[in-house]
Structure formats: C-alpha cells, structure tokens
Amino acid sequence: MDPTTVILAIECGVRLGRKLNDVLVDQTQERALILPLGNLYAQVAENDAIDYFRDHPELTAPGAPYAGLSKSDQVKAYRTLLALGERLGDTHGLAGEARRIVQQLQKFDQLKKGYGARPALQRILGEVVEIAIDYFAARPEMLSGDTTTRKILSAWLSRLDDIEFAESTPDTIVMAILYASFKTLEDQILLVDDDSRLQALLGGVTQALVDGHRLLTSQGEQVRREALIQRIASGLLRAGAEIFSKNNILPGGASGTTQKWVAVTLSQIVDGIQGKEHLFTSESLELIYKSILSAAAKHPQLFSAQPVIQDFIEKTLNLLMGEPEQSVFANEMVASVLQYALDMWIQTAGVELMADPPADRRLLAALRILNQVLAMDGGHGRPIKDLFDREQMVALTKIVLESVANHSYLVTMPAGAGDRDSALAQIIGAVSFPMAQAPDHLRTKQTLLTILQMAMTIAGHNSDRLVASGGSGPAKSILFRTIQQVVTAVSAGEDQRGLVQREEFLEIVRRILPVVSANIQPLMKDNSRQVEQTIRQALVLSTSALSFQINGANLPRLIEQLLVQILWEELDLGDDKAVEGTARLILRKMLEKE
C-alpha cells in the first residue's frame, strides 16, 4: 500500500470538485479516457490531438494512461484533457494540471488492480477516496503540504493492507473511523509526529472494529455493531491517543506487534459487551478502553491471546444484569460499575498474579454477594437497596470492590456456608439493619455509605470476632450490636441539647469501632450494653454536671476514652461520681493538648 498514491487520487478529486466515480469509467477500450465527457467540449482537429501527444510522449508511452490509442481515440482523449483543463482553469492545458491528474488517477487505478479482481480491499479503497473527497472538498488546505490531517490519513492508509475486509464491510464503518481519526487526533501533535505509534493505534482500532463486524453472522447483530462503531469510534481513538502519548514504548506482549495488541484489547471489550451495547455511552466505553490500554502498557503479561478481558467483562455484566426481578443494579449503573470493577481487577492482578483466590474471582464474588444482600429486607418490608439512590449504589459498589480487592477475607466463607455467611454480607447487614432504624436526620444515605466503609476497614483487623460467621446472621455479630447500641443511645432522648448531628454521629462511630474491635471479650455476652450505656452517660453529663464543658466537638472523643476505661474494667458505669470525675479528667487533658 502506497498512501501517497491514494492521497494524490483524493487531491485530484478535490481539485476537480466531483466524486471519483464521476472521474473513473468502466473498464472498456475507452477506459484510458478518464472522463466520459461526450460532447461537453467542442470538436477538435485530429492533427491538433496528434501534435499534442507527440509533444507529451509521457501520456502514450507503454504503461502510460493513453498508450496504444487509435487516432480517433486520441482525439477523444485530447478533448478530455482540454475539458479537464477548462474545469481547472488551465486554458489549453499550458500548466499541465490535466496531464498530472490523468497520470495520478492511473496510478491509483493500478494500485487497486494490484489487489485482484474486485476484492474487498479494492472496493474499500474506492470508498475511502470518495469519502475523503467529500470531506476535503470544503477544506482542501487540510490535505496540502505537511498538515496534521495528511499525516493521519497517510498513517491510516499505510495499515489497510494488514486488515481483512469482507465484501460486506459497510462503508459507514470506514467513514466512521476515518472521520473520528481526523476529528480526534488533529490536536495530538506529538503522537501524529511519531509515525510508528500513530500507525499502530489507527491500524489496531480499525482492525478490531472491522474484524468484529466481519465475524458476526446475524444481520441484526451487524446492524447493531455498525451503529455502535459510528457512536464510539471517536471515544476509542481519544482513549488510545491519551495512553499512547503517556507511554513512549508500548508493549507488544504475548500478542505480538503493538497494532495487534491494540486490536486484541479492543476486540475483547467490544465482544464482551455484545448484546448489551445499549448500556454504554461513548464516554463510558472510552474510560473502559483507557483503563485496559493503560493496564496493558504496565502489565503486558496479563494480556495474551487468551480472552481474559472479555471473560471478565461478560461475567461481570451477567452478574450485574441477572434476571430483572433479581438484579439490584439499574441499567444506568452498569457501565460505571463495570469500569470500576475492571480498574480494581487490573490494579490487584498487576501485583497478585498468584493470589488465592485470584483477583477476578474475588471481585465477581463481591458483586454476587452484594446483589444478594441488597435484595434482602432492610426493614418495613423494603430491600436494603432502597436505602440508597442510584448514584450512592454505584458509590457503595466501588467501596465494596476496593475493599475486596485489598482484603480477601471479605468473600472467604466457612466450609459449606453460602454467600450470605461471608464477612462482606455480614458487614453490610450489620450496618444496614440498625441504621434503618436511626432518626431521619442521622439516617442519610451518605452516612450509611461512610459507616460501611469504616466497618469494612476496621473489620479487616479482627474479622473473625467482629462479624458473625457460620450462618448465625449479622444480628448476632458484635458489629451489629455496636451500631445498634449507638443508634439506640443517641435516639433515647438524653441528647437534649442536640449535640449529635450527622458529623458528630459519624465521629462517634469512627472512634468507637476500633475500640470495640480491640476489646471484644467484654462485649461478647448477649446482654452487654456497655457501648449504649457509655454514650447515654456522656449525653446525660452534657446536659447536667458538665454542660459547660461538653460540646459537639469533644463529645465523640469523650465517649471513646470513657469506653476504653469501661471495657478495661478501670471504670464502673454504675458509679455516677466516678464516671463524672473521669470525664472531667479526660476533658481537661483534651484542653491541655489543644
């Protein structure tokens, strides 16, 4: 493939101001006449034609456009050249523009013939020239000289030989990729100036999209894929340009050349969402492709010819979609959740190639468990998922995936246990159930998310004690009872000054959970109420003996330090004077530190 020949044919069409199909005629004896002008130009003398071609033997030499013409055909050819010259403003052909166009178009036609009798690529080349003529007709300056657009077109054309077009490949695919290349890469000066990287990106994206369409057997699938390509081509190229610009040397990895590596990663994404394309926007697929390319640049060992990306995408989508009556994820959430799942899988897999269980299995297990738990009754006959709106559901899923990526204990279950016995299920239930009973001003969706994130982090230090296991259910866990006692204490009426608002509530939970996690034993009795009683005592003091010393800022720290002494049996909750005296000392030390 000689990109220069194709570009010259485009320039000829642009200069003539008409499509190439109006320029090239059928393969007949008059094929070399280039334009079927008929009587559009006045009659000419035969001697003038003979004299013209004697002066320009480059037109009639063997292999030239007008080689072997009879005298009558030379007259027609001469009339054609004069007509071209008139159209180009080159009266009598003195400037030679018509001759150059004829010679350039012949080179292009010979290039097409080199691919055999009407193969797919020959047809695609004709369509590319037509598309480009239309595109550049209003902006011919973009094709001249050493412009960015000309470099992009040249790089893309240079890789067409590597792509297996089908006879049925629609020109809309070619047009979508070509237009997207011009529109997206025009400002990528550094990438455009690096011919090898530009060729690899354009060739890889084109190869993936064309190959994917060619392998589809259903006409309906082909139509949907064609529409998808037109919708996402710009985003894919933009993602690729950003990653290529950040990586001077991109790996071929086990997949071979960089172009093939680009094509393999993109093919797996597009094939992975097959049948679910409607769930993705151009922007969401751009972000997903950017994540995959970035990961492949850093961890080429993860991306071989094996369809690991496609497999993970398909399994994730199956879990997120499921049966309509079973899935808790709305269609609008799917793209965001998939993108974050891919990000976490890539980050974890990059450093845990031999992890047990592997990162992808842990993350898929997390999504499966989350789907089940959020469908459970959270109180008042409504599922837990109703505690969140869609944006917060996505945020919760991100919290869960990040936690699971870093802590495998969350999805590890006892032998013979089910998903609902996992630490992840226990934590979500242990936080959600009591929080569903909290006062409205405390039970905001963001509060619940924040506490869940705290609980997952803290539970990792003592998960076998803080959460229930073996099917006993979240209501039996220390975590459940702790959250429940906090909610009960702040709702009991002792907070007459209204010190505990959302921020104070979160701070109390944040300070109490580590204390509880490190002092489990005193709280293991079913009738243990130390957490609730400590909070209530502090609130009573805030409206009585220490009303001028306790405020919303120091209340959480006071509760934390009182609870430590109570759990260490250094303070008796039944001794009101001792509790007040200890609280005074704690508050004084706070002031001294400040």
Side-chain angles (χ1 to χ4, degrees):
M1 172 69 68
D2 181 5
T4 303
T5 301
V6 182
I7 293 175
L8 288 175
I10 295 169
E11 289 179 323
C12 289
V14 170
R15 288 204 298 274
L16 287 172
R18 59 194 301 140
K19 292 183 178 180
L20 193 63
N21 278 350
D22 295 329
V23 178
L24 298 178
V25 297
D26 293 335
Q27 295 182 9
T28 64
Q29 182 184 358
E30 296 180 348
R31 171 68 187 81
L33 299 185
I34 303 301
L35 274 177
L37 295 176
N39 295 319
L40 292 180
Y41 199 79
Q43 294 292 329
V44 296
E46 181 179 296
N47 287 340
D48 289 340
I50 293 171
D51 289 343
Y52 181 85
F53 287 115
R54 183 184 299 116
D55 293 338
H56 298 288
E58 71 275 11
L59 296 175
T60 56
Y66 298 142
L69 292 185
S70 65
K71 289 183 179 179
S72 61
D73 283 339
Q74 283 188 351
V75 171
K76 294 178 183 179
Y78 181 49
R79 290 176 63 196
T80 297
L81 289 166
L82 290 176
L84 283 174
E86 186 176 82
R87 178 177 291 277
L88 296 165
D90 179 15
T91 307
H92 304 302
L94 297 178
E97 278 293 290
R99 293 194 301 274
R100 281 191 287 274
I101 284 178
V102 167
Q103 290 172 308
Q104 289 165 2
L105 291 178
Q106 187 205 25
K107 289 180 181 178
F108 173 67
D109 190 56
Q110 290 173 334
L111 173 68
K112 288 175 64 181
K113 284 181 179 179
Y115 293 102
R118 288 201 59 77
L121 183 55
Q122 186 187 85
R123 178 182 61 82
I124 291 296
L125 281 175
E127 290 176 349
V128 167
V129 172
E130 284 198 37
I131 291 167
I133 289 173
D134 285 342
Y135 184 84
F136 291 110
R139 44 182 87 79
E141 70 282 354
M142 296 176 67
L143 195 58
S144 61
D146 195 32
T147 61
T148 298
T149 312
R150 188 185 185 101
K151 291 178 182 177
I152 292 169
L153 179 59
S154 178
W156 185 73
L157 288 168
S158 68
R159 290 304 173 101
L160 289 188
D161 274 338
D162 301 331
I163 298 166
E164 185 179 349
F165 290 96
E167 191 58 41
S168 59
T169 301
D171 61 353
T172 49
I173 292 181
V174 178
M175 181 168 54
I177 299 171
L178 198 52
Y179 283 178
S181 301
F182 294 149
K183 180 171 64 176
T184 307
L185 302 177
E186 193 170 11
D187 297 330
Q188 299 287 336
I189 304 299
L190 294 178
L191 177 60
V192 170
D193 285 340
D194 188 337
D195 194 50
S196 60
R197 288 195 301 152
L198 181 61
Q199 288 181 18
L201 173 60
L202 292 174
V205 170
T206 305
Q207 180 180 334
L209 296 179
V210 169
D211 285 354
H213 183 277
R214 178 173 52 83
L215 296 174
L216 295 174
T217 55
S218 161
Q219 185 175 1
E221 289 177 337
Q222 290 178 342
V223 170
R224 285 192 294 274
R225 181 63 61 86
E226 186 179 343
L228 177 69
I229 291 171
Q230 293 183 70
R231 183 159 58 87
I232 68 174
S234 292
L236 296 176
L237 285 167
R238 189 162 42 245
E242 181 175 334
I243 299 304
F244 269 56
S245 297
K246 291 178 179 178
N247 295 272
N248 292 326
I249 301 174
L250 286 171
S255 60
T257 66
T258 303
Q259 175 170 320
K260 186 176 180 181
W261 165 79
V262 172
V264 165
T265 53
L266 178 55
S267 293
Q268 291 190 45
I269 293 171
V270 176
D271 290 344
I273 67 170
Q274 175 71 15
K276 300 179 177 68
E277 298 93 338
H278 62 287
L279 300 173
F280 298 88
T281 64
S282 176
E283 292 78 9
S284 61
L285 281 177
E286 179 181 343
L287 291 172
I288 288 171
Y289 191 39
K290 192 186 301 181
S291 295
I292 295 296
L293 281 179
S294 179
K298 296 173 183 174
H299 308 294
Q301 72 274 25
L302 296 176
F303 301 91
S304 64
Q306 298 300 315
V308 290
I309 305 168
Q310 181 179 340
D311 183 63
F312 185 78
I313 290 174
E314 288 175 348
K315 288 178 178 177
T316 302
L317 291 179
N318 288 338
L319 276 172
L320 294 177
M321 300 299 294
E323 297 297 329
E325 64 275 9
Q326 295 176 357
S327 178
V328 300
F329 296 97
N331 287 353
E332 295 83 357
M333 306 177 194
V334 170
S336 296
V337 172
L338 174 62
Q339 181 202 336
Y340 202 75
L342 280 165
D343 284 344
M344 296 314 303
W345 170 54
I346 290 164
Q347 289 178 31
T348 310
V351 296
E352 292 186 23
L353 295 177
M354 302 304 292
D356 186 26
D360 57 340
R361 278 174 38 201
R362 298 208 307 270
L363 294 168
L364 291 170
L367 290 174
R368 186 180 65 246
I369 293 167
L370 186 60
N371 198 59
Q372 291 186 21
V373 175
L374 292 178
M376 293 169 60
D377 187 349
H380 307 294
R382 298 188 307 166
I384 293 176
K385 70 173 183 176
D386 285 358
L387 295 171
F388 308 93
D389 60 26
R390 288 179 177 177
E391 184 178 344
Q392 287 156 340
M393 278 277 287
V394 173
L396 170 61
T397 306
K398 289 180 178 181
I399 290 170
V400 167
L401 291 174
E402 184 173 0
S403 299
V404 169
N406 295 317
H407 303 290
S408 60
Y409 82 89
L410 286 166
V411 292
T412 302
M413 289 162 284
D419 285 342
R420 294 190 182 186
D421 299 315
S422 64
L424 176 60
Q426 299 294 320
I427 291 170
I428 295 174
V431 173
S432 301
F433 294 149
M435 282 298 297
Q437 311 304 318
D440 290 342
H441 71 287
L442 300 180
R443 195 182 67 246
T444 67
K445 295 165 183 177
Q446 189 57 48
T447 303
L448 185 51
L449 283 176
T450 305
I451 295 175
L452 279 168
Q453 190 163 26
M454 290 180 196
M456 285 183 203
T457 301
I458 293 166
H461 303 304
N462 201 5
S463 61
D464 62 329
R465 303 288 186 182
L466 198 57
V467 297
S469 62
S472 56
K476 296 290 186 181
S477 70
I478 299 296
L479 177 61
F480 175 93
R481 283 190 277 155
T482 300
I483 302 297
Q484 185 182 54
Q485 288 183 45
V486 175
V487 170
T488 301
V490 300
S491 310
E494 277 86 357
D495 185 19
Q496 296 175 17
R497 294 171 57 195
L499 296 179
V500 182
Q501 300 301 314
R502 177 180 174 272
E503 288 186 9
E504 291 76 21
F505 177 75
L506 284 174
E507 185 65 10
I508 290 170
V509 174
R510 188 183 72 81
R511 289 180 173 275
I512 280 179
L513 285 181
V515 174
V516 168
S517 177
N519 299 278
I520 292 288
Q521 190 170 6
L523 300 166
M524 295 182 69
K525 296 178 182 179
D526 289 342
N527 60 354
S528 169
R529 309 296 299 174
Q530 287 103 320
V531 171
E532 178 187 345
Q533 290 166 355
T534 302
I535 298 172
R536 293 178 75 155
Q537 285 275 45
L539 289 172
V540 168
L541 289 171
S542 74
T543 59
S544 57
L546 299 176
S547 62
F548 290 100
Q549 285 76 36
I550 298 176
N551 56 35
N554 60 28
L555 177 64
R557 288 180 289 170
L558 174 62
I559 292 170
E560 173 194 27
Q561 294 184 41
L562 285 173
L563 183 60
V564 169
Q565 295 195 41
I566 289 164
L567 294 180
W568 278 77
E569 298 182 349
E570 295 173 351
L571 180 63
D572 182 1
L573 274 169
D575 188 340
D576 293 342
K577 285 190 175 183
V579 172
E580 180 186 335
T582 302
R584 287 182 182 277
L585 288 173
I586 292 170
L587 293 168
R588 184 179 299 164
K589 287 181 180 178
M590 288 185 198
L591 286 173
E592 291 172 356
K593 288 181 180 179
E594 292 174 356

